[in-house]
Amino acid sequence: EVQLLESGGGLVQPGGSLTLSCAASGFTFSNYAMSWVRQTPGKGLEWVSTISGSAGSTYYADSVKGRFTVSRDNSKNTLYLQMNSLRAEDTAEYYCAKDPSYSGSYPTLDYWGQGTLVTVSS
Amino acid sequence: DIQMTQSPSSLSASVGDRVTITCRASQSITRFFNWYQQKPGKAPTLVIYATSNLQSGVPSRFSGSGSGTDFTLTISSLQPEDSATYYCQQSYSTPPTFGQGTKVEIK
């Protein structure tokens, strides 16, 4: 059974940093691309970033490019999202999601974690 | 970015009804298109991928069709457990984008 478990969310001040983690199990982690998607009541679902199975390719939404960094440790079956220079508009529920492909070039999200809440506020 | 527009934004139907949700892309996305279901307080789950392929474990009353810019999700006989918000998503180009959601309620 595929399981994805996010952690690391919380309250952070504007301009601060936070690192999210996603522990994966139930599949061969290194064979699949992984993505981060966030959700707010006002803006709905927003794709944030995708990383290929080998971590050779990464993709970012323009809204986070230069501030967020996606990475993965295939030896630990864990996906990360390093978030710097956080803004109020980054407040959202963040989900990690598995892609059925290795490359992630055409992101389809076949399994999702339960989400972790990030709140950016002073 | 490719804009995805769903209609209706919400609907109410009776158990056993046939329900159709539509999604229109702002440009052709061929068949790189998915549907997700989200129940309150839960993460989304994949229902249909590549326009018309049923994700494993999803009941056969769900079906998808379309190509180019216009797509539909059909629930052939609505069940109480289908009460949820449904989102479309294009995977044709980066950034992948989602529709605003359609909330399906049971009368």
Side-chain angles (χ1 to χ4, degrees), chain B residues 53-105:
Chain B
N53 295 278
L54 200 63
Q55 173 68 352
S56 176
V58 174
S60 59
R61 62 181 179 272
F62 289 88
S63 64
S65 64
S67 67
T69 60
D70 295 313
F71 300 85
T72 60
L73 173 69
T74 299
I75 308 173
S76 61
S77 178
L78 190 67
Q79 299 302 304
E81 59 267 32
D82 301 335
S83 178
T85 299
Y86 293 84
Y87 295 93
C88 63
Q89 178 235 334
Q90 65 83 14
S91 55
Y92 178 77
S93 69
T94 298
T97 46
F98 294 85
Q100 80 281 12
T102 295
K103 187 173 185 179
V104 174
E105 296 179 323

Side-chain angles (χ1 to χ4, degrees), chain A residues 39 47 95 106-109 112-113, chain B residues 34 36 38 43-44 87 89 91 96:
Chain A
Q39 185 172 32
W47 169 81
Y95 296 100
Y106 305 95
T108 292
L109 309 163
W112 298 57
Chain B
N34 308 306
Y36 300 88
Q38 186 177 32
Y87 295 93
Q89 178 235 334
S91 55

Side-chain angles (χ1 to χ4, degrees), chain A residues 29-51:
Chain A
F29 185 67
S30 59
N31 284 357
Y32 299 96
M34 297 291 295
S35 294
W36 289 98
V37 176
R38 64 187 182 184
Q39 185 172 32
T40 61
K43 291 189 68 177
L45 290 166
E46 181 187 15
W47 169 81
V48 173
S49 181
T50 295
I51 184 168

Side-chain angles (χ1 to χ4, degrees), chain A residues 87-105:
Chain A
R87 307 166 179 166
E89 54 264 36
D90 296 317
T91 295
E93 188 82 19
Y94 283 74
Y95 296 100
C96 69
K98 173 186 167 295
D99 193 293
S101 76
Y102 175 82
S103 67
S105 298

